[in-house]
């Protein structure tokens, strides 16, 4: 019996796009974001009132939360929140480290997940798009931080998100394909994945990536859900699929250096023995694993190897 796919979540925050050009961002409570990190305390995202906020290099309108407006703030000081001086206990934490905890806290965690991934994604975009792609002139943030406008030609540039597909593949015995990418740390295994190319549907990207990386043809393809993945600018689009001919597995060896089909009892033993390290809790890859497995995967022994 498969567990229900759990990503069909309604938005927990009203993005209120119509308010982006109206709200004075300096009066908003704000979450602090910089370099893919978010200000957090005990795993929870911290919201600072205006009087508690550090000097800002950039502010971005996040939306309406109940009866107040929320913003993201990029501090001027690159070292802000590196230690607990001044704002006891609060630290800048990598978004990946925070993901697992979000999903354990129900609606509150889903709300924080939405705010944090949005803030990190759009702050990443600002950090990497300082100039006009057409004329090279500097761009300036406008519309509550959701547009950058070219000072020379007046063109508006919008945040971009790069879709990537990820697919859980099973064989006729319902064993799951686990693959190791050549550039990953030893023992790390996951599903096949790759970026969608211009002109492709998501489904075509799945068939192409799987064929390129594994030689496999897919007999069935089913959409599962998606998850924003701002590392630095993606959304992961998740599928599951079957192959009738697992014996056709041929690795390209440039991208995927190892892959095999594993049964459920086998995967549990591999985890407990520390022979495979799987995607962390909070990632879409982990949800796909547990969807196939039929529940929570065992945790590796604490003295076992760790992903480095
Ligand atoms: Zn320009």
């Amino acid at each position: 019996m498969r567990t229900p796919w759990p990503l069909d979540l309604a938005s927990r925050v009203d993005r209120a796009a119509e308010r982006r050009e109206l709200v004075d961002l300096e009066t908003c409570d704000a979450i602090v974001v910089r370099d893919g990190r978010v200000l957090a305390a005990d795993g929870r995202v911290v919201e600072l009132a205006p009087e508690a906020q550090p000097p800002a290099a950039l502010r971005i309108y996040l939306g309406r939360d109940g009866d107040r407006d929320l913003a993201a703030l990029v501090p001027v000081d690159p070292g802000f929140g590196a230690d607990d001086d001044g704002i006891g206990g609060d630290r800048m934490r990598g978004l990946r480290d925070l993901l697992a905890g979000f999903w354990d806290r129900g609606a509150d965690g889903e709300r924080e997940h939405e705010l944090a991934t949005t803030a990190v994604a759009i702050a990443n975009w600002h950090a990497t798009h300082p100039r006009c792609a057409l004329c090279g002139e500097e761009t300036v943030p406008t519309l509550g931080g959701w547009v950058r406008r070219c000072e020379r030609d007046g063109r508006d540039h919008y945040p971009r998100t790069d879709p990537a597909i990820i697919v859980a593949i099973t064989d006729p015995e319902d064993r799951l394909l686990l693959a190791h990418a050549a550039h990953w740390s030893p023992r790390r295994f996951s599903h096949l994945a790759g970026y969608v190319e211009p002109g492709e549907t998501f489904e075509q990207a799945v068939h192409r990536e799987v064929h390129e990386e594994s030689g496999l043809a897919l007999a069935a393809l089913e959409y599962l859900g998606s998850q924003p993945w701002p590392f630095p600018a993606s959304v992961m689009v998740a599928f599951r699929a079957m192959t009738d001919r697992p014996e056709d597995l041929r690795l390209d060896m440039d991208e995927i250096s190892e892959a095999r089909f594993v049964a459920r009892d086998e995967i549990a033993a591999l985890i407990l023995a520390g022979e495979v390290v799987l995607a962390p809790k909070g990632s879409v890859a982990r949800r796909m694993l547990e969807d196939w497995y039929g529940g929570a995967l065992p945790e590796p022994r604490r003295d076992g190897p760790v992903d480095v």
Side-chain angles (χ1 to χ4, degrees), residues 132-137 150-155 157:
C132 176
L134 294 158
C135 77
E137 184 62 54
C150 175
E151 302 254 73
R152 181 182 291 163
D153 56 34
R155 287 179 194 268
H157 298 271

Side-chain angles (χ1 to χ4, degrees), residues 46-60:
V46 171
E47 294 167 12
L48 296 179
E51 60 274 16
Q53 293 169 8
L58 175 67
R59 294 174 196 265
I60 302 150

Side-chain angles (χ1 to χ4, degrees), residues 160-283:
R160 58 179 290 174
T161 300
D162 302 327
I165 57 83
I166 181 167
V167 54
I169 301 168
T170 49
D171 72 1
E173 297 171 46
D174 206 25
R175 296 181 304 168
L176 180 73
L177 183 69
L178 286 183
H180 174 78
H183 65 277
W184 287 351
S185 54
R187 296 183 299 274
R188 183 176 160 204
F189 284 82
S190 193
H191 318 284
L192 296 182
Y195 285 105
V196 179
E197 293 189 342
E200 277 184 321
T201 63
F202 293 160
E203 293 83 352
Q204 288 166 343
V206 171
H207 288 290
R208 176 184 53 77
E209 281 286 345
V210 168
H211 184 72
E212 285 175 2
E213 295 184 348
S214 72
L216 294 172
L218 300 176
L221 189 58
E222 182 184 359
Y223 175 69
L224 291 173
S226 62
Q227 181 171 339
W229 199 244
F231 307 106
S234 286
V235 56
M236 300 301 293
V237 185
F239 291 84
R240 63 186 168 210
M242 295 188 333
T243 181
D244 291 334
R245 294 181 52 84
E247 64 273 23
D248 288 346
L249 184 63
R250 302 280 184 279
L251 303 184
D252 77 348
M253 300 308 284
D254 284 338
E255 290 190 64
I256 301 297
S257 57
E258 199 178 337
R260 56 189 286 210
F261 286 92
V262 296
R264 287 180 180 75
D265 54 347
E266 204 178 350
I267 202 170
L270 289 167
I271 293 168
L272 292 170
E275 291 180 27
V276 302
V277 176
L278 298 175
K281 281 175 67 178
S283 64

Side-chain angles (χ1 to χ4, degrees), residues 3-83:
T3 52
W5 185 251
L7 292 184
D8 184 16
L9 301 175
S11 185
R12 298 285 178 187
V13 178
D14 176 3
R15 293 188 173 223
E18 73 282 1
R19 295 178 63 77
R20 287 175 182 167
E21 59 187 333
L22 304 176
V23 172
D24 176 0
L25 297 177
E26 296 194 11
T27 65
C28 298
D29 290 354
I31 70 173
V32 182
V33 58
R34 189 183 175 103
D35 300 329
R37 304 171 82 81
V38 180
L39 189 69
D42 299 325
R44 305 199 59 148
V45 174
V46 171
E47 294 167 12
L48 296 179
E51 60 274 16
Q53 293 169 8
L58 175 67
R59 294 174 196 265
I60 302 150
Y61 183 65
L62 291 180
R64 192 90 176 141
D65 185 47
D67 60 356
R68 64 191 182 129
D69 293 297
L70 267 181
L73 178 159
V74 179
V76 172
D77 175 9
F80 176 82
D83 53 48

